[in-house]
């Protein structure tokens, strides 16, 4: 291989030689030391909005909340995993669990998040991620009574479309001679 410029051949040979040594394993890579062990496994316990231990409804309207739970799609583990500040194989750090829980609770489609760890026999940690979804579908109807009752708008908003964290909204508003129709979408990460 010939590179332009004086003295390029020795430089190219040195580069190829160092790549060869690295590929052959002659260059030592230091292993990461984890004094508290590693994260060996991450498990997800995803709960629907109106479960037995979810914040919520009184027993009188239980049939309504059971019906709402039946059409709710739980947030996918991969979506929850986007917010975790660690992954399997990383060094265990309890501060990262706390910060990850705060990050999950800041999402509009998660009501509660709790991360706990269990030390395993080999010194590693299994991290349990427990979340409770928020009710993610809303409907708004607007009207005016200026000159009699008049329907002026309708909007539908889904904060967690089929458990993906994607937010979509559709709306139609009209007032006097103005009319707005639209669709909005926002995908996380």
């Amino acid at each position: 291989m010939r590179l332009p410029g004086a003295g390029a051949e020795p430089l190219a040979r040195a580069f190829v030689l160092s790549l060869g040594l690295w590929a052959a394993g002659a260059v030592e890579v230091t292993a990461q030391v984890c004094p508290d062990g590693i994260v060996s496994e991450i498990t997800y316990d995803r709960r629907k909005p109106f479960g037995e231990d979810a914040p919520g409804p009184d027993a009188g309207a239980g049939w309504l909340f059971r019906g709402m739970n039946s059409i709710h799609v739980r947030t996918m583990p991969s979506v929850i995993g986007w917010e975790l500040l660690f992954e399997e194989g990383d060094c265990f750090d309890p501060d990262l669990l706390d910060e990850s829980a705060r990050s999950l609770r800041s999402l509009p489609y998660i009501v509660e998040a709790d991360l706990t760890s269990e030390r395993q026999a080999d010194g590693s940690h299994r991290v349990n991620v427990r979340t409770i979804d928020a009710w993610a579908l809303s409907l708004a109807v607007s009207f005016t009574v200026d000159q009699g009752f008049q329907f002026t708008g309708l909007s539908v908003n889904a904060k967690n479309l089929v458990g993906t964290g994607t937010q979509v909204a559709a709306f139609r508003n009209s007032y006097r001679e103005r009319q707005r129709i639209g669709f909005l979408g926002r995908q996380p990460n």
Side-chain angles (χ1 to χ4, degrees):
M1 168 164 81
R2 180 131 176 93
L3 300 175
E9 278 187 5
L11 181 64
R13 282 191 199 127
F15 179 71
V16 170
L17 177 63
S18 63
L19 275 179
L21 288 173
W22 175 77
V27 177
E28 186 176 327
V29 178
T30 56
Q32 187 176 10
V33 177
C34 302
D36 289 333
I38 64 166
V39 176
S40 61
E41 181 182 6
I42 301 173
T43 62
Y44 297 93
D45 179 9
R46 304 165 299 128
R47 310 252 174 135
K48 292 191 174 193
F50 304 112
E52 291 175 15
D53 57 350
D58 58 33
W63 62 271
L64 174 65
F65 297 107
R66 283 191 302 276
M68 292 169 72
N69 265 347
S70 70
I71 63 172
H72 178 80
V73 178
R74 290 183 182 113
T75 303
M76 295 180 186
S78 61
V79 174
I80 296 168
W82 290 339
E83 297 298 320
L84 300 181
L85 301 175
F86 56 89
E87 54 189 26
E88 289 180 5
D90 286 354
C91 289
F92 176 76
D93 183 350
D95 293 335
L96 292 180
L97 267 65
D98 294 338
E99 188 59 36
S100 295
R102 279 191 289 276
S103 180
L104 284 167
R105 284 190 293 269
S106 74
L107 297 172
Y109 45 87
I110 300 288
V111 173
E112 184 58 48
D114 185 34
L115 278 69
T116 57
S117 70
E118 297 174 25
R119 190 179 263 306
Q120 304 299 300
D122 63 357
S124 66
H125 291 264
R126 178 187 319 151
V127 175
N128 303 307
V129 180
R130 181 180 168 273
T131 59
I132 300 174
D133 285 356
W135 179 251
L137 186 63
S138 63
L139 174 70
V141 177
S142 57
F143 59 91
T144 182
V145 289
D146 284 346
Q147 298 170 345
F149 182 85
Q150 185 179 18
F151 171 77
T152 58
L154 175 69
S155 67
V156 178
N157 184 2
K159 292 187 274 188
N160 190 11
L161 187 66
V162 293
T164 63
T166 302
Q167 182 174 3
V168 294
F171 61 89
R172 179 191 177 277
N173 295 320
S174 60
Y175 185 70
R176 298 192 183 173
E177 287 141 21
R178 294 183 189 172
Q179 195 170 72
R180 293 182 345 157
I181 298 173
F183 179 81
L184 303 170
R186 186 181 70 114
Q187 186 173 13
N189 302 329

